[in-house]
Amino acid sequence: MVRPRTPIGQTARLPTVAAFRLFRRDPLGLFAEVASGPDGVARVDLLGRSMVFITDPDHVRYVLKDNHRNYDKNAPIYNAARPFLGEGLTVSHGGEDWLRRRRLVQPAFHRQHLPMAADVTENCLADTLADWRTYPDSGAEVDFSLEMTRLTMRIACRSLFGVDVVGDVAQIARNLDFAAGFVAEFLARPFPPLFVPTRRNREFRRAMRQVRDLTAAIVRSRTGAAEPAGATGLLSPLLTDTEAGGSTPGQVRDELIGLFFAGHETLAHTLTWCWYLLARNPAADARLRTELTSVLGGRPATLADLGALRYTRMVVDEAMRLYPVVWIMMRRALGPDVIAGHRIPAGAVLAWSPYVGNRDPRVWSEPDEFRPERFDPDGNGREAGYSRHSVIPFGLGPRACVGADFATAEACLAVATLAQEYQSVLLGRTPIRPEASLTLHPRDGLPVLLRRRTGHDVAVAP
Ligand code: HEM
């Protein structure tokens, strides 16, 4: 346990060594410790610099939206991811560079392309179900986390590259997985530095070289070719920009790597958490099944069904509250500021954890409980403290997730289509400990017995 010790002004300060140890061992615990302080603001010396930890949703909203011009992403967590995600939009510091990239990428994620993304998702879900139907009806032991990674890689590959997860793309995905794990470890233990040729560092560099070479080859093969059927139209504007002398081929390559990672990893873990929570909460699972039977009656979900699949959406929202895959966020102050009466000097790094903020007992009753009703759009069961900004799984303000609408639709389609036909029994030890690395995911995957649903209440599609 780390106790706030020396007050600096009104800001609690945590001892450096203890904070670093806790960050390595239990980063979520470190944020929870800070949140339990008097006003949820604390100074922590971490990762070689002094950081200000905040927890209050109003302060987070202020930084991300109300005063966003004073903050950029030149902060340790994003800088640590740069050897991995290169110069892409996700880790761009901000300013003109970010704006140009955002304007290039954003149109591909406009709502008008949602039907296309939904089509890709529906086809990929059909493939997943076809795979699952080869399992015995009595149940198959699978790692659900891996199943969801396969699904979301299929979706990301088809929508970004217009190709299936075969050959090169599978290789990119494997290397990215390894590199993500490496970067997460490196963030918690940044020694020896990357330029030192240790075995792990060399492996990382080799994996990233392969990812870059393979992505560059895909970009080259698409140059001058028409946008492949089913793709969201992301590649064409990027390539046109390169021809016009805007982005370099290396930047386009990095953009695709970043989007592929941001798109498939976040969605895979979100779906895994949904499944875990449903398996642990039979009443919620039963209510979901009732909705699916009445709205879908056995056929797969489509974009047109999403309006009627209200409980499905509540399940996804509540899963993202309890397990926000982007569990840590940071910003650097460009100029001095004041937050909750605390002076924030220029250059200070602010950090917060949506995982901890989303479980604040001042906002949520029984915050650790899975209760999708909290998000009922009609207000039945909605929390008194609920506000639009108390849960922000996709961030807020100009740097909010570019893929938020797509990801929400894809998550709802996947939960509805898969949960209608399958249910699972958890096999590993519960409750599962979340691992807070680059994203929040179950530490040892999600081993389940995947069973095809039976019974007259479920009309199973042929
Ligand atoms: C459940 C799925 C997803 C979640 C929970 C999620 C969450 C987030 C969050 C919280 C941020 C803001 C980070 C910050 O402000 O520091 C973000 C940014 C971003 N996300 Fe997502 N995301 C998801 C899916 C996707 C998808 C499908 C894509 C695209 C294929 C995507 C692409 C991006 C990009 C490019 C940014 C950076 C935007 C910018 O800085 O302008 N994400 N995401």
Side-chain angles (χ1 to χ4, degrees):
M1 245 352 193
V2 181
R3 297 256 164 251
R5 271 202 327 211
T6 330
I8 301 175
Q10 294 172 44
T11 309
R13 184 179 178 140
L14 304 184
T16 309
V17 176
F20 184 65
R21 280 212 189 110
L22 190 52
F23 183 72
R24 269 177 51 183
R25 206 183 59 241
D26 178 15
L28 298 172
L30 174 61
F31 279 92
E33 187 68 29
V34 171
S36 66
D39 62 0
V41 180
R43 216 173 104 185
V44 182
D45 291 333
L46 197 65
L47 303 174
R49 60 192 310 163
S50 187
M51 292 189 194
V52 180
F53 278 33
I54 56 175
T55 41
D56 190 310
D58 287 343
H59 301 155
V60 172
R61 178 201 152 95
Y62 172 78
V63 171
L64 289 180
K65 193 158 184 257
D66 302 340
N67 197 20
H68 69 88
R69 286 204 169 76
N70 191 43
Y71 294 92
D72 73 5
K73 276 177 106 167
N74 183 0
I77 191 155
Y78 311 112
N79 292 338
R82 277 175 168 264
F84 170 49
L85 295 176
E87 297 183 53
L89 176 61
T90 33
V91 290
S92 166
H93 284 171
E96 280 304 310
D97 169 70
W98 164 77
L99 190 60
R100 218 179 63 78
R101 285 165 197 280
R102 179 92 188 194
R103 284 186 177 146
L104 272 175
V105 166
Q106 177 118 21
F109 294 92
H110 190 274
R111 289 190 75 86
Q112 80 188 45
H113 296 306
L114 203 50
M116 201 165 359
D119 257 16
V120 169
T121 308
E122 288 160 29
N123 289 334
C124 294
L125 283 165
D127 291 349
T128 299
L129 282 178
D131 290 348
W132 287 5
R133 286 184 194 131
T134 64
Y135 300 155
D137 279 1
S138 54
E141 289 186 19
V142 299
D143 176 355
F144 199 81
S145 185
L146 205 62
E147 296 288 330
M148 289 302 95
T149 301
R150 283 199 193 111
L151 167 67
T152 61
M153 268 183 191
R154 274 180 174 147
I155 296 174
C157 282
R158 284 189 199 166
S159 54
L160 295 179
F161 301 127
V163 294
D164 272 313
V165 189
V166 285
D168 289 354
V169 179
Q171 183 69 23
I172 294 177
R174 265 196 301 279
N175 281 320
L176 273 182
D177 261 8
F178 166 78
F182 176 92
V183 168
E185 258 176 55
F186 186 76
L187 187 66
R189 201 175 316 191
F191 312 106
L194 275 182
F195 62 80
V196 179
T198 60
R199 192 178 56 80
R200 290 279 292 165
N201 282 356
R202 282 203 313 270
E203 262 180 71
F204 171 69
R205 285 213 294 268
R206 196 168 39 246
M208 283 316 299
R209 221 173 14 249
Q210 272 187 19
V211 169
R212 290 191 188 111
D213 289 351
L214 291 171
T215 315
I218 291 174
V219 172
R220 273 197 304 277
S221 75
R222 294 274 177 261
T223 308
E227 192 75 44
T232 47
L234 174 71
L235 212 46
S236 299
L238 290 175
L239 294 175
T240 310
D241 187 57
T242 313
E243 282 156 23
S247 312
T248 63
Q251 284 170 330
V252 172
R253 179 202 63 201
D254 285 0
E255 205 62 86
L256 290 177
I257 294 172
L259 284 166
F260 182 69
F261 181 76
H264 98 264
E265 167 110 354
T266 47
L267 187 59
H269 295 323
T270 298
L271 291 172
T272 303
W273 289 122
C274 286
W275 210 257
Y276 167 67
L277 290 162
L278 285 169
R280 276 175 65 84
N281 293 277
D285 184 59
R287 188 170 165 194
L288 176 70
R289 211 167 61 227
T290 305
E291 172 172 283
L292 299 178
T293 306
S294 94
V295 176
L296 304 177
R299 62 173 174 77
T302 66
L303 189 60
D305 295 315
L306 292 190
L309 292 172
R310 293 155 73 90
Y311 193 70
T312 309
R313 172 67 194 264
M314 289 185 235
V315 164
V316 171
D317 283 344
E318 175 69 339
M320 291 197 289
R321 179 186 73 83
L322 280 170
Y323 295 103
V325 290
V326 178
W327 66 276
I328 183 172
M329 290 168 76
M330 288 184 184
R331 289 293 188 270
R332 182 188 61 141
L334 297 171
D337 202 353
V338 176
I339 293 181
H342 301 295
R343 275 187 304 109
I344 308 291
V349 169
L350 273 65
W352 63 95
S353 170
Y355 177 89
V356 172
N358 292 354
R359 291 168 184 249
D360 187 338
R362 287 166 299 188
V363 179
W364 306 100
S365 60
E366 298 185 277
D368 296 333
E369 295 300 310
F370 177 64
R371 272 204 235 128
E373 292 71 17
R374 299 180 205 267
F375 289 90
D376 190 330
D378 297 332
N380 305 323
R382 201 150 94 180
E383 301 281 323
Y386 174 90
S387 86
R388 218 164 77 75
H389 295 121
S390 55
V391 179
I392 45 166
F394 296 105
L396 200 61
R399 296 214 63 169
C401 179
V402 78
D405 288 343
F406 282 27
T408 307
E410 288 164 359
C412 291
L413 287 172
V415 169
T417 299
L418 300 179
Q420 176 175 228
E421 201 170 325
Y422 283 86
Q423 67 182 144
S424 49
V425 179
L426 299 174
L427 292 178
R429 282 205 355 217
T430 54
I432 278 186
R433 280 195 66 185
E435 169 128 335
S437 55
L438 269 192
T439 50
L440 191 75
H441 54 88
R443 177 157 297 186
D444 301 307
L446 186 66
V448 301
L449 182 70
L450 188 66
R451 268 208 306 243
R452 201 160 180 189
R453 288 192 199 273
T454 52
H456 60 272
D457 59 341
V458 183
V460 175

